[in-house]
Amino acid sequence: MTDNNVKEIAELIKIVSKLPGLGPKSAKRIILKLINNREELIKPLTNTLAQVYKNVVRCKICGNLKSTNSNCVCSSKKYDQICVVENISDMWVIQSSGIYKGHYHILGGTLPSFENKSTGNGLLIESLVSRVKKNSVKEVVLATSGTIEGETTAHYIADSLKSTKVKITRLAKGVPVGGEIEHLDDGTLFSAFKNRSSITDD
Ligand SMILES: [Zn+2]
C-alpha cells in the first residue's frame, strides 16, 4: 500500500483486505467509514473484538463456538438428534433455513478423498461417537457436502458409529454432486433434509 502514508492505516487495510469477499478497494471503504465514525464504530468494534479474542473458543467436543465463561450448548441437556456438518458456516445456513432445530456437530473439515484415514485428520469424529453414546442419540443426520471428500467423510463417520446402533441418515441427493452445503438455496436444503435417507443396514 504505497498510497497511504499513515502506517496504522496501511496496516489496517492490509488486514481487512484478507477478510472473505473483500479486496483492497472495499477494505479502504470500510476503513474510511470506521475512521469517520470513531465513537460509534471504532470504539465498540475494538472492545467487541477484544472480548471475542479473549472469550470465544471452539468447543473441543462439538466444534461449536462457545464462550469460555459458560458451558457449551452440547453439554446443556439431553437431545436425540445430531446434525453433522463440515464447518460453522454450514451450520449457520441450515439454522437460518429453519429446517432443522436439533443439535449440531461441527467436524472442522473433511477427510481427504483418498489415502490413510486412520488418523481422522484432527476432525471431531471420536467426540461425535461419545456424544452419541452418552446422550442416547436416536438419529445422526450427515449433512456433509456432495463432494468426494464430503462423501468419504460421511462413510467414515457411518463406519465409526456402527457399534452405537444409532440411526444414520444422509441428506438426499437434492444436494447436487460436488455441492457445498453453504451454497445451497433454502428450497434445495429443505428437500434434501425432508428426503434424507437411512444409510444404516436395518
Ligand atoms: Zn460443545
Side-chain angles (χ1 to χ4, degrees), residues 59 61-64 72-75:
C59 171
I61 298 167
C62 71
N64 217 326
C72 180
V73 279
C74 71
S75 65

Side-chain angles (χ1 to χ4, degrees), residues 45-66:
L45 185 64
T46 310
N47 289 337
T48 310
L49 283 177
Q51 291 298 317
V52 169
Y53 180 75
K54 213 171 87 193
N55 299 331
V56 178
V57 292
R58 265 194 87 198
C59 171
K60 288 189 177 74
I61 298 167
C62 71
N64 217 326
L65 296 174
K66 71 184 266 300

Side-chain angles (χ1 to χ4, degrees), residues 14-73:
K14 216 163 86 190
I15 296 169
V16 175
S17 309
K18 288 180 186 162
L19 299 175
L22 297 180
K25 218 172 168 179
S26 33
K28 282 181 201 164
R29 271 213 311 273
I30 289 172
I31 288 156
L32 199 59
K33 177 85 179 174
L34 289 171
I35 289 170
N36 291 334
N37 296 275
R38 298 171 70 95
E39 292 306 311
E40 301 84 352
L41 290 175
I42 295 192
K43 211 169 165 188
L45 185 64
T46 310
N47 289 337
T48 310
L49 283 177
Q51 291 298 317
V52 169
Y53 180 75
K54 213 171 87 193
N55 299 331
V56 178
V57 292
R58 265 194 87 198
C59 171
K60 288 189 177 74
I61 298 167
C62 71
N64 217 326
L65 296 174
K66 71 184 266 300
S67 163
T68 46
N69 305 319
S70 59
N71 286 332
C72 180
V73 279

Side-chain angles (χ1 to χ4, degrees), residues 2 20 22-23 31 33 59 63 65 70 76 95 112 115 143 162 170 173 182 186 192:
T2 48
L22 297 180
I31 288 156
K33 177 85 179 174
C59 171
L65 296 174
S70 59
S76 58
Q95 272 175 339
E115 82 190 69
K162 224 169 211 162
R170 176 95 174 99
K173 291 300 171 194
E182 195 184 341
D186 280 5

